[in-house]
Every structure is written in structure tokens, then in C-alpha cells.
Amino acid sequence: MNAALAAVTGSFDIPTIEYSALAPILIVLGAAVVSVLVEALVPQAYRRTLQLVITFAALVGALVAVVALWGTQQIVAMGSVAVDGPTLFMQGSILVLSAIAALVMAERRVDPAGDSFAPRASALPGSEDEQAFTRLGWLQTEVWTLFLFCVGGLLLFPASTDLLTMFVALEVLSLPLYIMVGLARRRRLLSQEASLKYFVLGAFSSAFFLYGTALLYGYAGTVSLSGIADALGASAGDTGLVLAGVALLSVGLLFKVGAAPFHQWTPDVYQGSPTSITGFMAACIKVAAFGALLRVMYVALGGIRWDWRPMMYVIAALTMIVGTLFALTQTDIKRMLAYSAIAQAGFMLVGVVATNAAGLEGTMVYLLAYGVATVGAFAIVTLVRDTTGEATHLSQWAGLGKRSPVVAAAFALFLLAFAGIPLTSGFTGKFAVFTAGIAGGATPIVVIGVVASAVAAFFYIRVIVLMFFNEPAAEGGPSVVIPSAFTTLAITVAVALTLVIGVLPQLVFDLVSQAGLFVR
Amino acid sequence: MSPFSGAVTRAAEAVPTAVAASGTFQLIWLLIALPLAGAAILLLAGRRSDRWGHWLGVLASTASFVVAVVLFVGLLGESADQRTITQHLFDWIAVGTFDVPVDLRLDQLSMTFVLLITGVGTLIHVYSVGYMSHDRDRRRFFGYLNLFVASMLLLVLADNYLLLYVGWEGVGLASYLLIGFWYFKDTAAVASKKAFVVNRVGDVGLSLAVMIMFVTFGSVTFDGVLGSASQASEQSLTWIGLALLLAAAGKSAQFPLQSWLLDAMEGPTPVSALIHAATMVTAGVYLIVRSGAIFDAAPAARTAVIVVGAITLLMGAIIGCAKDDIKKALAGSTMSQIGYMILAAGLGPVGYSFAIFHLLLHGFFKADMFLGAGSVMHGMNDQVNMRRYGALRTVMKVTWITFACGWLAILGVPPFAGFYSKDKIIEAAFSVSTAAGIVTLLGAGITAFYMTRLFAMTFHGEARWHDDAHPHESPWIMMFPVAVLALLSAVAGFVLNYNNMFVDWLEPVTHGVEPSLSVAGWVVPTTALVLVAIGAALAWIPYATRPVPLVAPAGNLLTRAARADLYGDAVNEAVFMRPGQYLTRWLVWFDNRVVDGVVNGTAATIGGLSGRTRRLQTGFVRSYALSMLGGAAVVAAALVLVRL
């Protein structure tokens, strides 16, 4: 089946690649290569414009390709990539969310020093070099190359139908991200520390993933998901290998979705990254990683779901509880949103443990709803600033609603969506995964989920109260910077989508029900 | 001539066939849209609308009331079995079998609520023009009030549980905003937070109920759920029933979620009258009566409803006896009266109609008394301590007379309103269970005691005013609505009970059954009246004819307990709050290894900005990695254990 393995057995087939079905991934990765050339060959003055054109053209082109492919149900590239409804829905979501995040990254009016990225990532924090670069007003554009490679990996991750391809995708999306996390212009030490932490722990989790793959290969003799499912169906071989393999593979995936107890990197990395990158990773990685997790659990391991469901119950419950409780005590808005993202991952895991069609659909709806609100929320965090940069301490947000009612109202909307208040997108998503969970027999987990979301509403609403009903901090406190058209457009789109998914959820539900199930 | 169809045929016709809206009935959506538009304009227009904003608020509410009256006349023109009208607005969610239309349902039950909400709501809007005239945020107040009216109308007009949930959250939001309207007062801010938290507990119940309904019936519409309730297993129905009861307890301040209502009196008095007496707090009763078909088939859940109602009935009454704060005494009374309604709703078909009848009449007389209390406060420099009142009948004649109407109505003195509904609830309770009957009788006696105490301390006895108090009658714009409500308290019971008019009107929805008692018809009312007379006399003698001490005497054990809200807060604190605080503190300590020392739960002052920017995360990668490894071991162990 698999090209690599076929080679081992001695025969050699010329691989066939269905380029059209892979178009979304190829467009983005192709653009990434072009972007490298731009960095190497084009004079500094033109780079930014050119990189922006390439990036947005690639994202839009890939999105067009996804729309054109809608309805495809096939396995391509010698059985290693599935182009099916869920893949296309996730790819579409990732592209939309990346585009919104890219708008925020392109912002150059908010930070007086230029943009929110370090002029030269290689300069030591606080060194004379760095001060010189800043004084000279240097701006770098390499972040766009990294961004495009990362998006390419994200598009492949949920589409992979064998564990090796999935691992390659995982690395393609992770490596650029490790660098992007360390690019913050301000609080450089925090940023670099976050980058290093993310890298070390990410490498650790990759090892788990790879070891799990090896064990499953030892059991099934193949790394393809459907091959593993067939072997499990025939129930031949050593069950010890399966269970250990499933456990290690799950750890690798659960690390990426940020589930407890593999979540601890999240707050540190979310806080240290440039905020525009935080929004991007919080939204898009969640989508891709859940896509991969769902595919592995539903396609390869669906047959032994009675074995892994109890484990997932525990993880889901733990994730919801840990995320909610820690979010309650946070005083930094980025850390609070990070713990909230952990809690949200727990809610989405309810859709995974449902192991039915409704669970898959519900999780996809939830991912889109959550992703949109997340990019929007982090975009707003970039705007609230004082003289030293972003003002992320919660006390600095007091009275924001009095001074900047529109921005505060948009932020309140995103928080209400996180809290799952009816008529926002979050309610649609929560309702979909929770009903799927009850239908899938996971009622106790749903009860925990409903209670956790009731508690979670408290810290979301607390921020709203802080913004609208508290007196502003003393004079000279932070204020909302008026952004350029980029961020304004990003926030507008996020607000509009949050409202549309909440008021007319029909549109998204139609899409996910058309998407159907994973192709095997 | 029995107007009742009897319980036997109930299952078959649990939900009357609905007629699609046509002609006049196409106006149903306007009921909600008008106040919603009012709220949107008032809240978005900002200070520009300060000068005329309050009149816009009044106008929106009045217009909604006019539409309600038009619809009511239209409904009267239809025959009794044609009075369930649904209006389809749009499809909210329609995926395969999961269909949630945004439909409104106007039937006898929701019409009753619509008239109560818009009618009393409009009167209270008018009253607030006067009451809030000195508040610089009066426009915002009216925006919230309109938002409340729109949400409450959505709650009672929704044709499915999910849409009802939207309204349910909406009234919760409006209530939260209005309790904390004077957010600069710490007590108001704390009270609004408490109401929010406790209501969230109730909301958990409602969302669980909706999800179990969807999984059990594949639908959340009233027709889909209630129409096929008899086919579901009793276990599912019991769980749905208990979850609905939890929701009702949260919204209607019933045991064990009663604690927020007393604190909610921190809101402006018109809010206490409209939201925390007449309408929102009765949403739980609406929910249970509306879901009657579920409770009919789940006896265990029904018993739980009766027990919760009975406990709250007595708790509220006992708390009402000991409070010196006029609004808190009235709030205790509200708890107790809603306990009556919940208990009646738990009795099943013998009680549904009387629960709603009592709810309607209570809406009149309790709003009347709250607005009366507001008028007293208006004239007494916002004094709420009744020990500083006394003899106010001499200076506030209109308030005194109107308040007396409400007082006689809640006592159940014929022909005032309460007599007709409360006696029926007592009879119905006796027909189901003697214990429930005795509780309701006892409650009637205690009610007479605390209301008479309140009335006597405020209007009779000798003046105990502060030296700077110059009590005066309130302006006509406040007293006119009070007068209307007083009139309704005096005559509405008699009129609506004439020829069983109200009960017959509700019959197609509630399928009421006449309670059958083993004793003669005069026994229960007479016993009740004797108890009321005793209770009233016990209060009148010490509080109207003897001097009332300015400082509350120490009191006996029960009095002290009642003053402390029967230790409701103490229990909450010991069971939930203190463990919660310890947990938070532990989490903060745990988290401090990661962040640094600035975290302290409350919003800390900014300080050391430069220090903050240099700040390092001190969470160690090695400990993170260790916990990942431990997690992986646990995951593997879990998988192996399951296989074993």
C-alpha cells in the first residue's frame, strides 16, 4: 500500500500523485518555497509587499481549491492522504482562520516601533545589536515564509491517512512555529523562553507519537490507518503492543490539542509569543490537531473504542476541570485565554469520546466557532497598549468599555461566545458536542462539561464586568490603539462570523453534514 | 356542570393542536420586537437620548401591551380549542432530524403571562419615570428594563425549549444588570454577582434538561417533547423533571438556591417589583406548568417539586417574620408565595391552574406592595428600616390605602385577590397529601403574621422617624400605577374567579381537575381564615398598639436564625465558598511557581511595569516533561486496566 514499505519488499511502483486533489496543500507549500526565494533575492524595500501578496494569494487560492474540491471522497498520493469531507472542512477552516490571523500579523500601525516582531530574531535580548536594529527601524519579513510552511503542515495534518505522513505533517507545522513563538519584539526573554519550552516539550511529544507509531506498526505491519483498523478487526497479534501504541500515539496528539495533563506548555507559550502568533496557533493548531486526533480515533481505532474511551473520558474531564479552575485565578489576559483554550479543548474532547457521526460533526462546528472567536479575541489583545507594549494585566482592562466601547463590545462578544451564551457561535458548538456526547453514552462527561462551562462563564463575564462596570485605572493607563485596515478587517470578519454561526448555525451545520464521515 | 375534561384523556391531548398564525395573530413577533428595539436604541444611542430616553422606554412597553390586548381580544374570538397559535419566524437549526425552528407559541398560558408582563411592566415603567428621576443613568435603566421585558416575553412565547433557554438567559442577564445597577455600591455589586452565580447553577439544570430531551425525543419543541412524553421511559422523564426543577429553583429562588433573592433587593425598587416579585422569579412556575406532561409521567420528580415548594414556602415566611428591612421582608414573602405556586404546580392537574392563578394575582398585589414600599422609601430618604417608620398613614394616605389593598389580598381576606387563589391551592394540596395541606395552611397563618407586622410597623403605631425625615406623598406619576395595581389586587380575584372564568380559560392547556375533598366545602376556607385572623392579631397587638423598640431585641433562636436567612448563606459558605477559596488559594500557590507574586485573586494594582516586562516565567520545563511522562503512564495504565 504504502510507497515506502513497498520499496522494502523489493518491488517498485512509480508513485501516482493526484495533484489536483492535493491542490490546497501544494499551493500553500509552493508559495512557501517562492517566499524563501523572495527573502533571498528581492531587495528589502519590496519584500513586505511581495510577501503579503504571496501569502494572501496562496491562502485565497488554496481556499478556492478547497471549495472546488468540495464533495470529493478519495484517498490519494498512494494511500497517504485522504481528501474527504472532514479534510476539506478542516482545511477550509484552517485557511479562513489563518487568513484572519495573517491580517493581524500584517499590522504595522499598532506598535510605534514598526511591527510586533523582533527586527532580527538572532540578536540576543537586550544586547547592543538588538538596540541598534531597533534604532535603525529594521523590520523583518521572514515570518511570512515560516507562516506559509506552518499552514502547509496544518493542511496536511488532518488529511494524513498513515501515521508517517501524519508525523511529517506534524513536524512541518511545528518547526516553523517554534521559531515564530520566539519572534516577539517586546519582552524578548519571555518570548525566547516560550520558544525553547515549546520546542523541548514538542520534541518530547513527537517522540511519544513516533514510538506509538512504531508499536502500532509492530502490531499491524502497516502504518496506514485503515490497515491498522483491519488488523484490529482480525484481532491477531499482541494486544500489549496495541495498547501501548495507542497510549503513546494519543499522548503525542493530546499534547498538540493542549489536553491535561499535557497542557502545561500552553499558558507559557501563549503568553510569551507575539500575540498575533498566539491567536494563529490557538485557533489553527487546535483545528488541525483535532482533525488528526478524530481521524486516528475514528478510522484506525474505532474498532477498539471500548478500550480507549474510558481513558479519553478521564482526559476530557481532567482537561475541562483543570482549564476552568486555573482560568479562574489568572490575572493576565493572555494566560487566562490560554487556560480557557485548555478548557475548550476539553469540551471538544466530549465530541471525540462520543464516537458517532454527531460527535464528528459537532467537533467540527465547535472548532470553527472556537477558532473564529479566538483569533478575534487575540487580535483585540494586540490593541490594548501602554507605553511598554501590550497591557495584558487584567486590572489594566478596567473601564475599557467607557473609553473604547466598540472594541470592548467586540471583546465581550468573543467572551460570550467562549462562555457558550445562546445566539453566539459558542452556544452552537457546545450544544452540538454535548448532545452528541449524551447520544454516545457519555452522559457523566457531559454533566461535568455543563458544570464546567457554567463555572467558566464566571471568569469570562468577570472580564466583561471589569470592562464595562469598573472605573478605569488612573490616568496614563493603557488605551486602545486605532489599528490600520488589516486588524480592523480581521476583527470585523471575526465578529461577523461569530454572530452568523450563532444566529444562523444552519449554514455551518449544512456544511458539516455534507462533509459526512471520514473516507477509509 | 364541570368544565374539566378529567385526567383520563390527558395523555392523548397533552398538547392541543396548534394553528398557524394568520390575520391579527401575525403580530405576535411584535410583542418581543418592540421592547427589544427600545432596548437597542436606548443602549446604543448613549447620552444623546438622555432627555427623552425614559419616555421611549415607556412607549415601547406600552406598545407591546397594546399588541398584547389586541391579540387577547383575537384569542377570545376563537373557540377554546383553536386558541393555540404558532408563528414560524425562521429556522434556527435544521439538520437532518434535529430541527429547531424559531417559533412563537401563543396559547392561553403564554397569553396570560404576556398580559401580566406587559401590563405590570408598563405600569412599572411609568412608575420608574418618577422613581428614577434623580438618577443620571435613568436612560440606561430603561434600556435594561426594555431588555428584560423582551427577554421575558421570549421566554414565555418560545415554542421550544432551546428558544426558551435563550429567553431564560436573557432575563438572567437583565436581572444581573439591574441588581447591580448601582454598581458603585459594593453591596449591589456583590449581590449581582451572587445572583449570577446561583442562577448559573440553575441554568446547568435547564441545559441538561434540554440535552436529555433531545437525546430522548430527538426534538426540543413543545409538541415533540410533551406530545410524546408518555412514550419515554420513566427514568429519562424523572431525570428531565429533576433537571427542570433545578432550573426552576435557580430562577424562582426556591430551596436550595434561594439565597440570592434577598440580596437582589439591592437593585432599584421598581426592579424588585417587576423582576424579583411579579415576573422573572415566576419563570420557574411557568417552566413546570408548561412541562406538565413530563411531570405527569414522572411521579418521583413531581414529589420533589412538592417538597421543594413546601420547604421554601415555610422558609420564606419565617424569614419574612424577622426582617426589619421592608424590602427584605417583602422578598421573603415573595419566596414563600412562589413556594405556594411551585407546590401547586407539583400537585399536577389539580394544581396547575391555581398555580398560574395565584401567580397572576401575586403579580398584582406583590408589585403593588413593592411599589408602595418604594413610595415610602422615596418619602423617607431611602430609609428601609421599618423600625424607623411608623404612623405613615397620616402623611402618605394614598400609599397607605393602596398598600392596604395588597396586604388584604396576600392575607386572603375575601373579596381581595389572594383569597380566591390561595384557598384553592390549600384545597388542592389537601386533596393530594394531608402533609402538603397542613404546610400550606400553616404558611397562610405565618403570612398573615409577617405581612401584618410589616403593615403595622410601617403605617401604624407611633412615628419613629429620624429627625431629618420629612415624609411626603409621592408624585402622581408614581402613585397612579400603584393605584391601578391596588385596584387589581382588590377586585381581580373576584372578577376572574366569577363563574370559574380564569380556570376555564386555562383548561385546554392545564387540563385542570377539580380537587376532591372528603370534608365539606366550607371547612378549608374557614380554617384558613381563622388562622389568618390569629396570625394577624398576633402581629397587630405588639406592632400597632405598643411602642416598637428602635433597636431590634436579641430575639429567640428562631428569630436570630430567620434574621440570618435561616443560615442559607452560612451553608453556602461552608459547603461551596470556603472550599472554593481554599481551592483558589491552592491553585494560585501552584500557579505562582509559574507566574510570579502579583497574582492575588482580586484585580491588583498595576505596579512595577518595568519589572513586569522583564519578568521571566519560572515554570520548569523539566517538571512539565515529568508530568507529561506521568500522564503517559496513566494513559497506558488506563488502557491496560480497561482491557483487564
Side-chain angles (χ1 to χ4, degrees):
Chain A
M1 289 295 282
N2 187 289
L5 298 174
V8 177
T9 58
S11 63
F12 185 79
D13 297 324
I14 298 173
T16 52
I17 301 290
E18 292 81 347
Y19 291 100
S20 60
L22 293 173
I25 301 170
L26 294 179
I27 290 173
V28 173
L29 287 178
V33 174
V34 175
S35 166
V36 174
L37 296 176
V38 169
E39 282 301 313
L41 304 174
V42 175
Q44 172 115 37
Y46 306 108
R47 276 190 215 156
R48 170 180 154 85
T49 319
L50 210 51
Q51 293 285 25
L52 284 182
V53 169
I54 291 170
T55 304
F56 284 103
L59 294 178
V60 171
L63 192 59
V64 169
V66 165
V67 172
L69 284 169
W70 188 248
T72 312
Q73 291 279 348
Q74 68 179 122
I75 293 196
V76 298
M78 305 297 289
S80 44
V81 178
V83 180
D84 53 13
T87 295
L88 292 170
F89 183 84
M90 309 264 188
Q91 289 184 336
S93 306
I94 291 168
L95 288 166
V96 170
L97 296 173
S98 306
I100 302 176
L103 287 171
V104 185
M105 287 164 60
E107 177 66 50
R108 277 201 170 169
R109 188 185 290 172
V110 164
D111 196 310
D115 59 13
S116 52
F117 302 110
R120 288 293 177 273
S122 51
L124 281 178
S127 65
E128 284 184 11
D129 282 350
E130 188 184 65
Q131 286 160 13
F133 292 141
T134 309
R135 215 171 28 249
L136 290 170
W138 284 17
L139 300 170
Q140 54 103 348
T141 47
E142 286 141 359
V143 70
W144 295 107
T145 314
L146 298 166
F147 175 77
L148 282 170
F149 275 114
C150 183
V151 173
L154 288 170
L155 294 180
L156 181 59
F157 199 40
S160 317
T161 52
D162 71 58
L163 294 173
L164 275 184
T165 312
M166 199 174 268
F167 179 72
V168 172
L170 177 65
E171 294 303 301
V172 170
L173 77 88
S174 297
L175 291 170
L177 208 53
Y178 299 145
I179 308 173
M180 286 155 81
V181 166
L183 285 183
R185 174 181 286 278
R186 294 169 187 276
R187 305 193 212 169
R188 295 276 303 130
L189 271 180
L190 206 62
S191 176
Q192 296 206 340
E193 186 182 322
S195 170
L196 188 69
K197 272 183 183 168
Y198 193 25
F199 170 66
V200 171
L201 294 172
F204 194 46
S205 80
S206 292
F208 278 104
F209 186 94
L210 208 53
Y211 204 170
T213 306
L215 292 178
L216 284 175
Y217 178 75
Y219 172 81
T222 172
V223 289
S224 97
L225 298 182
S226 54
I228 293 171
D230 292 342
L232 286 170
S235 64
D238 185 353
T239 42
L241 281 181
V242 181
L243 296 182
V246 170
L248 297 181
L249 193 67
S250 313
V251 171
L253 289 167
L254 289 170
F255 173 85
K256 277 292 165 204
V257 304
F262 316 106
H263 66 284
Q264 282 137 321
W265 58 275
T266 319
D268 290 5
V269 173
Y270 280 22
Q271 190 186 17
S273 311
T275 306
S276 52
I277 301 295
T278 312
F280 165 65
M281 62 188 287
C284 297
I285 298 208
K286 207 72 104 191
V287 178
F290 263 100
L293 182 68
L294 283 165
R295 191 178 288 281
V296 169
M297 290 304 180
Y298 279 46
V299 174
L301 307 178
I304 56 161
R305 62 173 170 278
W306 303 113
D307 283 312
W308 58 259
R309 271 180 61 163
M311 174 271 283
M312 275 295 183
Y313 281 1
V314 176
I315 298 277
L318 196 63
T319 309
M320 293 188 278
I321 294 169
V322 165
T324 306
L325 288 185
F326 276 96
L328 280 175
T329 63
Q330 297 307 313
T331 51
D332 181 284
I333 193 100
K334 282 171 85 176
R335 288 185 78 84
M336 193 208 86
L337 288 173
Y339 279 109
S340 130
I342 294 167
Q344 303 285 345
F347 299 140
M348 292 180 227
L349 283 174
V350 175
V352 177
V353 296
T355 50
N356 50 23
L360 173 61
E361 291 178 6
T363 314
M364 291 200 289
V365 173
Y366 203 127
L367 283 168
L368 183 62
Y370 158 82
V372 170
T374 302
V375 227
F378 279 106
I380 288 176
V381 174
T382 64
L383 300 183
V384 183
R385 311 180 73 92
D386 59 17
T387 47
T388 59
E390 286 163 13
T392 56
H393 198 276
L394 270 179
S395 61
Q396 294 171 290
W397 286 57
L400 200 72
K402 296 216 165 60
R403 280 173 295 164
S404 312
V406 178
V407 169
F411 198 71
L413 175 72
F414 297 135
L415 290 174
L416 290 176
F418 288 138
I421 301 296
L423 294 182
T424 61
S425 59
F427 177 75
T428 312
K430 276 215 176 69
F431 192 79
V433 292
F434 285 166
T435 48
I438 295 183
T443 314
I445 301 301
V446 173
V447 172
I448 295 178
V450 173
V451 172
S453 58
V455 175
F458 182 74
F459 59 79
Y460 294 124
I461 308 287
R462 190 179 61 176
V463 178
I464 299 180
V465 171
L466 192 69
M467 289 192 302
F468 286 96
F469 298 117
N470 282 31
E471 292 306 317
E475 284 302 306
S479 56
V480 169
V481 180
I482 306 297
S484 69
F486 286 114
T487 307
T488 312
L489 182 62
I491 295 173
T492 313
V493 171
V495 166
L497 282 176
T498 301
L499 284 175
V500 166
I501 302 173
V503 181
L504 303 168
Q506 189 58 45
L507 304 170
V508 197
F509 276 116
D510 278 347
L511 276 182
V512 292
S513 64
Q514 278 174 30
L517 296 175
F518 291 115
V519 67
R520 291 194 42 162
Chain B
M1 184 188 78
S2 169
F4 302 102
S5 60
V8 186
T9 51
R10 176 161 174 78
E13 49 168 17
V15 181
T17 5
V19 185
S22 60
T24 327
F25 295 117
Q26 285 172 336
L27 298 179
I28 298 175
W29 66 277
L30 267 182
L31 285 172
I32 301 170
L34 287 167
L36 192 64
I41 295 171
L42 289 176
L43 295 179
L44 294 178
R47 295 249 166 247
R48 269 161 292 180
S49 54
D50 270 359
R51 273 193 310 117
W52 44 267
H54 46 285
W55 291 115
L56 180 77
V58 174
L59 183 71
S61 178
T62 313
S64 192
F65 178 63
V66 170
V67 174
V69 170
V70 169
L71 290 170
F72 179 58
V73 172
L75 270 194
L76 288 179
E78 303 285 332
S79 64
D81 55 349
Q82 297 287 308
R83 284 179 186 161
T84 299
I85 318 280
T86 57
Q87 183 175 31
H88 179 71
L89 296 182
F90 65 94
D91 281 319
W92 189 12
I93 308 170
V95 194
T97 55
F98 183 41
D99 188 18
V100 184
V102 176
D103 282 6
L104 303 180
R105 180 192 195 92
L106 190 72
D107 60 8
Q108 291 90 337
L109 183 58
S110 49
M111 190 73 244
T112 307
F113 269 90
V114 167
L115 285 171
L116 173 70
I117 297 160
T118 56
V120 174
T122 303
L123 288 173
I124 289 175
H125 272 75
V126 172
Y127 177 92
S128 307
V129 171
Y131 190 84
M132 300 295 284
S133 57
H134 302 304
D135 198 299
R136 55 192 287 272
D137 280 329
R138 178 163 68 167
R139 168 199 50 88
R140 191 160 57 86
F141 180 80
F142 276 86
Y144 293 162
L145 271 192
N146 272 347
L147 177 68
F148 168 76
V149 170
S151 310
M152 189 71 201
L153 289 170
L154 180 64
L155 195 163
V156 297
L157 284 169
D159 192 31
N160 62 64
Y161 283 97
L162 207 56
L163 198 58
L164 182 151
Y165 184 69
V166 176
W168 190 270
E169 293 276 355
V171 292
L173 172 70
S175 154
Y176 169 74
L177 291 170
L178 285 165
I179 295 172
F181 186 74
W182 288 319
Y183 54 81
F184 41 82
K185 273 168 48 184
D186 274 349
T187 46
V190 170
S192 68
K193 198 190 277 182
K194 185 168 175 186
F196 177 80
V197 170
V198 177
N199 268 293
R200 285 305 293 180
V201 178
D203 294 351
V204 168
L206 186 56
S207 49
L208 281 178
V210 174
M211 286 174 204
I212 305 174
M213 275 174 198
F214 174 63
V215 173
T216 312
F217 302 103
S219 168
V220 293
T221 61
F222 288 158
D223 284 341
V225 173
L226 304 176
S228 42
S230 49
Q231 284 132 44
S233 74
E234 192 181 317
Q235 197 197 3
S236 313
L237 292 173
T238 304
W239 282 115
I240 297 177
L242 290 176
L244 288 174
L245 175 61
L246 181 64
K251 199 58 91 194
S252 295
Q254 297 294 293
F255 178 82
L257 301 178
Q258 80 287 354
S259 62
W260 65 272
L261 185 63
L262 291 158
D263 293 13
M265 296 300 124
E266 288 295 335
T269 305
V271 171
S272 311
L274 177 61
I275 301 186
H276 304 121
T279 56
M280 185 191 82
V281 285
T282 59
V285 184
Y286 170 79
L287 187 69
I288 290 176
V289 172
R290 178 59 91 191
S291 312
I294 291 171
F295 287 95
D296 287 349
R302 161 160 294 165
T303 309
V305 174
I306 298 181
V307 170
V308 165
I311 293 177
T312 320
L313 189 170
L314 290 179
M315 273 184 86
I318 293 171
I319 291 173
C321 291
K323 290 286 177 187
D324 290 333
D325 177 327
I326 186 169
K327 286 183 74 181
K328 295 214 167 168
L330 284 172
S333 158
T334 304
M335 264 170 67
S336 167
Q337 296 297 311
I338 297 170
Y340 268 106
M341 299 169 209
I342 293 275
L343 187 144
L347 297 174
V350 290
Y352 292 143
S353 303
F354 304 124
I356 301 298
F357 194 25
H358 193 56
L359 189 158
L360 181 71
L361 298 177
H362 173 258
F364 296 149
F365 61 68
K366 190 50 72 60
D368 168 38
M369 287 191 284
F370 258 115
L371 296 187
S375 168
V376 170
M377 287 161 61
H378 199 73
M380 295 286 285
N381 295 341
D382 285 332
Q383 175 65 262
V384 289
N385 185 356
M386 295 190 287
R387 293 188 184 276
R388 283 295 178 179
Y389 292 168
L392 287 174
R393 70 178 187 284
T394 50
V395 281
M396 304 175 82
K397 280 241 157 29
V398 183
T399 307
W400 174 55
I401 293 169
T402 52
F403 206 101
C405 290
W407 170 59
L408 292 169
I410 195 173
L411 257 54
V413 177
F416 290 88
F419 172 73
Y420 297 95
S421 52
K422 201 195 279 180
D423 266 16
K424 290 289 189 184
I425 292 181
I426 298 174
E427 281 177 31
F430 268 112
S431 78
V432 171
S433 130
T434 314
I438 291 174
V439 168
T440 52
L441 262 186
L442 202 60
I446 308 178
T447 306
F449 175 81
Y450 70 73
M451 283 313 302
T452 307
R453 171 177 177 271
L454 187 155
F455 187 71
M457 275 176 98
T458 307
F459 294 103
H460 293 268
E462 53 200 30
R464 301 178 297 274
W465 314 333
H466 273 297
D467 293 340
D468 58 345
H470 305 288
H472 54 274
E473 191 55 274
S474 302
W476 66 270
I477 197 162
M478 286 169 64
M479 293 325 289
F480 165 72
V482 182
V484 174
L485 288 167
L487 185 68
L488 286 169
S489 312
V491 302
F494 176 76
V495 171
L496 292 175
N497 195 52
Y498 183 74
N499 214 359
N500 248 341
M501 202 185 329
F502 186 75
V503 172
D504 283 355
W505 152 261
L506 275 184
E507 196 276 333
V509 187
T510 56
H511 307 284
V513 190
E514 187 80 62
S516 57
L517 286 178
S518 51
V519 294
W522 55 269
V523 175
V524 169
T526 313
T527 320
L529 276 178
V530 169
L531 278 171
V532 164
I534 295 173
L538 283 177
W540 187 266
I541 294 164
Y543 290 104
T545 59
R546 295 181 196 156
V548 177
L550 287 182
V551 178
N556 59 23
L557 199 64
L558 183 63
T559 315
R560 288 202 299 274
R563 279 191 196 127
D565 304 348
L566 293 182
Y567 302 120
D569 282 335
V571 171
N572 282 349
E573 204 171 294
V575 179
F576 301 109
M577 207 169 107
R578 220 157 305 130
Q581 280 174 340
Y582 287 132
L583 181 65
T584 319
R585 251 177 252 155
W586 176 77
L587 288 175
V588 169
W589 171 83
F590 185 80
D591 209 40
N592 272 355
R593 296 185 309 138
V594 184
V595 202
D596 59 12
V598 296
V599 182
N600 62 10
T602 55
T605 51
I606 326 162
L609 279 177
S610 57
R612 202 164 48 79
T613 51
R614 280 200 313 273
R615 185 171 85 209
L616 289 181
Q617 294 154 347
T618 52
F620 291 116
V621 179
R622 57 172 186 259
S623 59
Y624 292 177
L626 187 66
S627 101
M628 278 175 68
L629 193 65
V634 170
V635 165
L639 281 167
V640 173
L641 277 178
V642 170
R643 186 50 78 92
L644 294 176

